[in-house]
Amino acid sequence: MTRHRDSGDCLCALADHPVLAVCPSCPAQALITSGRLVCPTCAHTRPYTRTWCWDDQRFVPDLWLRTPCAGHTLWALNTAHLDLLESYVTAKLREDPPSSSTRRMTVLAKLPAWMKSAKHRNEIQRALRRLRATAPGAPHR
């Protein structure tokens, strides 16, 4: 049986890794690191101040890793976020973090109900595979 234990991390901990975004100047993948958006394709750079608004799932700029899924938009900040979502979705047993004070604030606790539902598990797994295929280091097909 696959098991996933919630580490208690909030979404901002995942943003410590480079965030994958759509370049505002060309349709290529840009990276947001250390307060700077950089596009390796067109060399566009600009300072970037994070806009964190996770409760209603707004993030500026547009995320690279997003796809339609179960009538919603499934998104991830980066491959670390994809890894976490895949581990959670595929688990048959999902355990809460040990501390009840952090339980409400974790990235997994804040997932929408449609993502937590077993009814959408297969569709979410397919969507995560589509996103993984567009992530850096994905094999070219």
Side-chain angles (χ1 to χ4, degrees):
M1 175 184 306
T2 56
R3 174 185 296 215
H4 179 87
R5 176 169 289 182
D6 189 339
S7 66
D9 287 340
C10 65
L11 193 59
C12 55
L14 292 168
D16 288 341
H17 302 276
V19 172
L20 304 174
V22 177
C23 176
S25 294
C26 76
Q29 182 185 99
L31 297 174
I32 300 171
T33 58
S34 305
R36 191 143 200 85
L37 181 141
V38 178
C39 177
T41 302
C42 72
H44 177 81
T45 64
R46 73 171 187 201
Y48 179 75
T49 304
R50 291 179 178 165
T51 302
W52 306 113
C53 197
W54 305 115
D55 290 334
D56 58 3
Q57 299 182 0
R58 283 183 288 135
F59 185 83
V60 178
D62 289 335
L63 292 175
W64 182 262
L65 297 172
R66 63 184 176 174
T67 189
C69 180
H72 303 275
T73 300
L74 177 63
W75 56 269
L77 297 176
N78 47 40
T79 54
H81 194 188
L82 276 179
D83 294 342
L84 177 67
L85 292 174
E86 285 175 338
S87 174
Y88 179 79
V89 168
T90 59
K92 302 288 188 222
L93 177 62
R94 299 170 179 168
E95 297 179 12
D96 288 333
S99 170
S100 62
S101 63
T102 61
R103 200 169 289 152
R104 295 182 315 271
M105 302 304 293
T106 72
V107 63
L108 297 175
K110 289 187 172 196
L111 286 177
W114 69 270
M115 284 189 70
K116 294 178 180 182
S117 169
K119 173 172 110 175
H120 298 294
R121 179 175 285 144
N122 290 335
E123 190 173 353
I124 293 169
Q125 287 176 317
R126 284 191 302 272
L128 289 169
R129 282 193 296 273
R130 285 194 307 270
L131 292 178
R132 175 79 60 196
T134 68
H140 295 285
R141 295 181 183 192

